[in-house]
Amino acid sequence: MTQDELKQAVAREAIRYVVEDSIVGVGTGSTANCFIDELAKIKNRIDGAVASSQATADRLKSHGIRVVDLNSVNELPVYIDGADEITEHLAMIKGGGGALTREKIVAAVAQKFVCIADESKLVGVLGKFPLPVEVIPMARSHVGRALLGLGGQPELRQNFTTDNGNLILDVYGLSILKPLELEAELNNITGVVTNGLFARRGADILLLGTAAGVKTMKRK
Ligand code: 5RP
């Protein structure tokens, strides 16, 4: 199976977690896009969706799915999104598409986070994928120095502005053995909006696309 076929397989499986007559939280990226395309097939059975990025909102709308402001939602039973890396404990690196802050906000509201990923995303230790950090523009150099001090090599993502009008520093060279601690430490650097470690609020369920079929893993 190709990587795209694995993404489509997990997207199909994720539909089973959608709660009828409710609002669905929808992530960002190519795997989330596969999910949106599946969601379109059952759009009459949901009330609408909360989007974690402008790109996702646009794709949902193009399918005729109602997009709802998160502030108007009391309950969000499930959030479905991809990841750049995920461990067996369901801690993740996210933000390859630059939507990490809104993704983290929607994930914080959701009762259940279902991560959909092909098997290339499952890792023993997080950090081979450069860790995205969203930064207020005037704090770019300050945050860069702090990241160097933590042993990372930050690189400014070129020609990129987040949906929130900020910059992304991609941090190379980290071997993240304590994701919970690092997530908190990075968020404490003044000027950091958020970072792409999703450990404090990791996924609850991982649907992993493998050549042998979709494997379901639950948070330990
Ligand atoms: C976007 C994300 C995505 O979930 C992550 O980059 C995975 O994307 P893809 O499904 O295209 O591999 O965090 O900010």
Side-chain angles (χ1 to χ4, degrees), residues 7 28-32 81-84 93-100 103 116 118 121 129:
K7 290 177 185 183
T28 298
S30 56
T31 317
D81 196 1
D84 297 303
I93 286 184
K94 291 184 46 53
L100 59 160
E103 290 173 340
I116 48 177
D118 66 83
K121 307 291 183 66
F129 189 93

mmCIF file of all heavy atoms in Angstrom, residues 7 28-32 81-84 93-100 103 116 118 121 129, ligand 1:
data_model
loop_
_atom_site.group_PDB
_atom_site.id
_atom_site.type_symbol
_atom_site.label_atom_id
_atom_site.label_comp_id
_atom_site.label_asym_id
_atom_site.label_seq_id
_atom_site.Cartn_x
_atom_site.Cartn_y
_atom_site.Cartn_z
ATOM 1 N N LYS A 7 -3.079 6.638 4.498
ATOM 2 C CA LYS A 7 -3.769 7.815 5.047
ATOM 3 C C LYS A 7 -5.276 7.715 4.804
ATOM 4 O O LYS A 7 -6.089 8.040 5.679
ATOM 5 C CB LYS A 7 -3.228 9.104 4.401
ATOM 6 C CG LYS A 7 -1.804 9.438 4.838
ATOM 7 C CD LYS A 7 -1.275 10.675 4.125
ATOM 8 C CE LYS A 7 0.186 10.906 4.487
ATOM 9 N NZ LYS A 7 0.751 12.117 3.904
ATOM 10 N N THR A 28 -5.420 19.490 10.640
ATOM 11 C CA THR A 28 -4.822 20.105 9.445
ATOM 12 C C THR A 28 -3.756 19.174 8.870
ATOM 13 O O THR A 28 -3.051 18.505 9.626
ATOM 14 C CB THR A 28 -4.194 21.455 9.842
ATOM 15 O OG1 THR A 28 -5.235 22.310 10.319
ATOM 16 C CG2 THR A 28 -3.506 22.128 8.664
ATOM 17 N N GLY A 29 -3.631 19.196 7.551
ATOM 18 C CA GLY A 29 -2.575 18.408 6.912
ATOM 19 C C GLY A 29 -3.159 17.422 5.909
ATOM 20 O O GLY A 29 -4.378 17.364 5.714
ATOM 21 N N SER A 30 -2.277 16.638 5.284
ATOM 22 C CA SER A 30 -2.739 15.753 4.212
ATOM 23 C C SER A 30 -3.598 14.613 4.745
ATOM 24 O O SER A 30 -4.564 14.188 4.078
ATOM 25 C CB SER A 30 -1.540 15.205 3.436
ATOM 26 O OG SER A 30 -0.647 14.552 4.310
ATOM 27 N N THR A 31 -3.295 14.112 5.946
ATOM 28 C CA THR A 31 -4.104 13.014 6.503
ATOM 29 C C THR A 31 -5.468 13.569 6.941
ATOM 30 O O THR A 31 -6.506 12.937 6.702
ATOM 31 C CB THR A 31 -3.370 12.349 7.691
ATOM 32 O OG1 THR A 31 -1.986 12.190 7.359
ATOM 33 C CG2 THR A 31 -3.965 10.989 7.996
ATOM 34 N N ALA A 32 -5.446 14.740 7.563
ATOM 35 C CA ALA A 32 -6.713 15.380 7.944
ATOM 36 C C ALA A 32 -7.552 15.685 6.697
ATOM 37 O O ALA A 32 -8.779 15.573 6.732
ATOM 38 C CB ALA A 32 -6.435 16.658 8.740
ATOM 39 N N ASP A 81 -7.113 14.394 13.997
ATOM 40 C CA ASP A 81 -5.993 15.107 13.378
ATOM 41 C C ASP A 81 -4.820 14.145 13.161
ATOM 42 O O ASP A 81 -4.733 13.088 13.796
ATOM 43 C CB ASP A 81 -5.559 16.267 14.299
ATOM 44 C CG ASP A 81 -4.681 17.290 13.581
ATOM 45 O OD1 ASP A 81 -4.414 17.124 12.374
ATOM 46 O OD2 ASP A 81 -4.267 18.262 14.238
ATOM 47 N N GLY A 82 -3.905 14.553 12.306
ATOM 48 C CA GLY A 82 -2.686 13.791 12.043
ATOM 49 C C GLY A 82 -1.571 14.186 13.004
ATOM 50 O O GLY A 82 -1.785 14.905 13.983
ATOM 51 N N ALA A 83 -0.364 13.693 12.710
ATOM 52 C CA ALA A 83 0.813 14.036 13.522
ATOM 53 C C ALA A 83 2.049 13.887 12.650
ATOM 54 O O ALA A 83 2.033 13.181 11.634
ATOM 55 C CB ALA A 83 0.914 13.117 14.730
ATOM 56 N N ASP A 84 3.107 14.566 13.057
ATOM 57 C CA ASP A 84 4.385 14.406 12.354
ATOM 58 C C ASP A 84 5.181 13.253 12.945
ATOM 59 O O ASP A 84 5.879 12.545 12.221
ATOM 60 C CB ASP A 84 5.175 15.719 12.430
ATOM 61 C CG ASP A 84 4.423 16.835 11.723
ATOM 62 O OD1 ASP A 84 4.125 16.670 10.531
ATOM 63 O OD2 ASP A 84 4.089 17.829 12.371
ATOM 64 N N ILE A 93 4.729 15.063 18.069
ATOM 65 C CA ILE A 93 5.169 16.337 17.486
ATOM 66 C C ILE A 93 4.173 16.664 16.391
ATOM 67 O O ILE A 93 3.857 15.814 15.551
ATOM 68 C CB ILE A 93 6.593 16.257 16.902
ATOM 69 C CG1 ILE A 93 7.630 16.224 18.019
ATOM 70 C CG2 ILE A 93 6.854 17.446 15.979
ATOM 71 C CD1 ILE A 93 9.059 16.246 17.533
ATOM 72 N N LYS A 94 3.649 17.891 16.436
ATOM 73 C CA LYS A 94 2.747 18.377 15.409
ATOM 74 C C LYS A 94 3.197 19.766 14.966
ATOM 75 O O LYS A 94 4.040 20.376 15.601
ATOM 76 C CB LYS A 94 1.306 18.450 15.947
ATOM 77 C CG LYS A 94 0.720 17.055 16.205
ATOM 78 C CD LYS A 94 -0.734 17.077 16.641
ATOM 79 C CE LYS A 94 -1.624 17.960 15.846
ATOM 80 N NZ LYS A 94 -1.583 17.736 14.384
ATOM 81 N N GLY A 95 2.608 20.239 13.881
ATOM 82 C CA GLY A 95 2.937 21.590 13.433
ATOM 83 C C GLY A 95 3.735 21.644 12.151
ATOM 84 O O GLY A 95 4.159 22.719 11.733
ATOM 85 N N GLY A 96 3.911 20.482 11.511
ATOM 86 C CA GLY A 96 4.594 20.471 10.213
ATOM 87 C C GLY A 96 3.897 21.406 9.228
ATOM 88 O O GLY A 96 4.537 22.016 8.374
ATOM 89 N N GLY A 97 2.577 21.520 9.374
ATOM 90 C CA GLY A 97 1.807 22.423 8.510
ATOM 91 C C GLY A 97 1.661 23.819 9.105
ATOM 92 O O GLY A 97 1.005 24.678 8.521
ATOM 93 N N GLY A 98 2.231 24.002 10.296
ATOM 94 C CA GLY A 98 2.228 25.336 10.905
ATOM 95 C C GLY A 98 0.961 25.688 11.667
ATOM 96 O O GLY A 98 0.796 26.827 12.106
ATOM 97 N N ALA A 99 0.087 24.706 11.856
ATOM 98 C CA ALA A 99 -1.213 25.014 12.498
ATOM 99 C C ALA A 99 -1.221 24.629 13.981
ATOM 100 O O ALA A 99 -2.289 24.527 14.590
ATOM 101 C CB ALA A 99 -2.328 24.285 11.756
ATOM 102 N N LEU A 100 -0.033 24.454 14.579
ATOM 103 C CA LEU A 100 0.048 23.858 15.916
ATOM 104 C C LEU A 100 -0.758 24.568 16.980
ATOM 105 O O LEU A 100 -1.375 23.922 17.836
ATOM 106 C CB LEU A 100 1.512 23.735 16.342
ATOM 107 C CG LEU A 100 2.361 25.006 16.420
ATOM 108 C CD1 LEU A 100 3.562 24.753 17.310
ATOM 109 C CD2 LEU A 100 2.870 25.407 15.049
ATOM 110 N N GLU A 103 -4.428 23.928 16.537
ATOM 111 C CA GLU A 103 -4.630 22.488 16.777
ATOM 112 C C GLU A 103 -4.630 22.201 18.281
ATOM 113 O O GLU A 103 -5.443 21.422 18.785
ATOM 114 C CB GLU A 103 -3.520 21.684 16.092
ATOM 115 C CG GLU A 103 -3.623 21.713 14.577
ATOM 116 C CD GLU A 103 -2.444 21.073 13.869
ATOM 117 O OE1 GLU A 103 -1.374 20.922 14.476
ATOM 118 O OE2 GLU A 103 -2.601 20.718 12.698
ATOM 119 N N ILE A 116 -4.739 10.209 13.546
ATOM 120 C CA ILE A 116 -4.722 9.322 12.377
ATOM 121 C C ILE A 116 -3.374 9.496 11.682
ATOM 122 O O ILE A 116 -2.950 10.613 11.397
ATOM 123 C CB ILE A 116 -5.913 9.611 11.413
ATOM 124 C CG1 ILE A 116 -6.057 11.120 11.113
ATOM 125 C CG2 ILE A 116 -7.203 9.075 11.990
ATOM 126 C CD1 ILE A 116 -7.177 11.435 10.104
ATOM 127 N N ASP A 118 -0.074 7.345 9.222
ATOM 128 C CA ASP A 118 0.494 6.142 8.612
ATOM 129 C C ASP A 118 1.680 5.690 9.464
ATOM 130 O O ASP A 118 2.193 6.440 10.291
ATOM 131 C CB ASP A 118 0.903 6.409 7.156
ATOM 132 C CG ASP A 118 2.037 7.395 7.082
ATOM 133 O OD1 ASP A 118 3.198 6.983 7.235
ATOM 134 O OD2 ASP A 118 1.759 8.608 6.901
ATOM 135 N N LYS A 121 4.962 7.442 10.932
ATOM 136 C CA LYS A 121 4.931 8.474 11.995
ATOM 137 C C LYS A 121 5.223 7.915 13.384
ATOM 138 O O LYS A 121 5.463 8.679 14.315
ATOM 139 C CB LYS A 121 3.560 9.165 12.016
ATOM 140 C CG LYS A 121 3.089 9.725 10.670
ATOM 141 C CD LYS A 121 3.921 10.890 10.235
ATOM 142 C CE LYS A 121 3.483 11.540 8.947
ATOM 143 N NZ LYS A 121 2.213 12.196 8.955
ATOM 144 N N PHE A 129 11.984 14.593 13.664
ATOM 145 C CA PHE A 129 11.252 15.643 12.938
ATOM 146 C C PHE A 129 11.492 16.954 13.682
ATOM 147 O O PHE A 129 11.330 17.025 14.901
ATOM 148 C CB PHE A 129 9.751 15.318 12.915
ATOM 149 C CG PHE A 129 8.958 16.218 12.003
ATOM 150 C CD1 PHE A 129 8.706 15.865 10.685
ATOM 151 C CD2 PHE A 129 8.482 17.444 12.464
ATOM 152 C CE1 PHE A 129 7.994 16.706 9.840
ATOM 153 C CE2 PHE A 129 7.772 18.292 11.626
ATOM 154 C CZ PHE A 129 7.523 17.921 10.314
HETATM 155 C C1 5RP B 1 -0.189 20.473 10.840
HETATM 156 C C2 5RP B 1 0.017 19.210 11.594
HETATM 157 C C3 5RP B 1 -0.258 17.936 10.877
HETATM 158 O O1 5RP B 1 -1.123 17.156 11.635
HETATM 159 C C4 5RP B 1 1.021 17.197 10.684
HETATM 160 O O2 5RP B 1 1.940 18.051 10.041
HETATM 161 C C5 5RP B 1 0.818 15.931 9.860
HETATM 162 O O3 5RP B 1 0.520 16.268 8.541
HETATM 163 P P1 5RP B 1 0.361 15.175 7.409
HETATM 164 O O4 5RP B 1 -0.907 14.448 7.702
HETATM 165 O O5 5RP B 1 0.307 15.970 6.133
HETATM 166 O O6 5RP B 1 1.584 14.283 7.466
HETATM 167 O O7 5RP B 1 0.374 19.185 12.732
HETATM 168 O O8 5RP B 1 0.179 21.594 11.589
#
